[in-house]
Amino acid sequence: MEKRERNVQTAPMLFPIEPEQFWQMLRVLVREEGSQLERQPVHTPAYDTPGLTYKPLYKIGEVCQLFQVTKPTIYDWIKHGKLKPYKIRSRVYFLWNDIQQLLQLGEQPNE
């Protein structure tokens, strides 16, 4: 097959450097910056509160994993008053104390 040559009009360059040379310089610069970032230690923000030994708020997905149930089950528990949801902005959370109480109810033998 024949290669078709395009009639591409190039705009006048505003700086005296060839495009290929410019891209090569840009690649070298990106590599240098990338290697500097790799050398720097990653600072993770500390969300831990001193003295806090448990996570106070749980998302619905975490509660599902903890009890090994589905979201509709959690919604059913909310409807029946077993769990109380707390809304913070647009998100729903559950208190650890409420989860602990529900866990203790599940561990008690049915008499």
Side-chain angles (χ1 to χ4, degrees):
M1 291 193 174
E2 296 178 23
K3 276 190 172 179
R4 295 183 185 176
E5 291 185 28
R6 295 185 209 170
N7 275 338
V8 179
Q9 295 179 349
T10 57
M13 305 237 348
L14 299 178
F15 47 93
I17 190 169
E18 292 296 318
E20 186 56 40
Q21 187 181 6
F22 167 77
W23 288 112
Q24 185 60 33
M25 289 172 54
L26 188 61
R27 285 184 199 104
V28 169
L29 181 66
V30 168
R31 284 188 192 116
E32 288 174 359
E33 290 297 317
S35 65
Q36 285 180 2
L37 286 175
E38 289 175 358
R39 285 186 232 132
Q40 294 175 354
V42 178
H43 296 288
T44 56
Y47 295 113
D48 296 333
T49 304
L52 194 61
T53 58
Y54 64 93
K55 186 176 177 181
L57 297 174
Y58 283 78
K59 296 178 186 175
I60 191 164
E62 295 169 328
V63 176
C64 289
Q65 287 178 348
L66 191 63
F67 288 102
Q68 296 180 351
V69 296
T70 61
K71 285 184 181 181
T73 304
I74 300 295
Y75 295 134
D76 202 37
W77 289 353
I78 292 169
K79 182 176 158 185
H80 289 92
K82 289 185 177 183
L83 268 178
K84 184 178 179 190
Y86 291 89
K87 193 167 185 178
I88 301 174
R89 295 191 184 188
S90 64
R91 306 216 183 228
V92 176
Y93 295 95
F94 300 92
L95 292 178
W96 171 246
N97 296 336
D98 295 345
I99 295 170
Q100 280 294 103
Q101 287 176 353
L102 196 56
L103 280 170
Q104 289 172 357
L105 287 175
E107 291 175 359
Q108 292 176 352
N110 292 335
E111 293 180 10

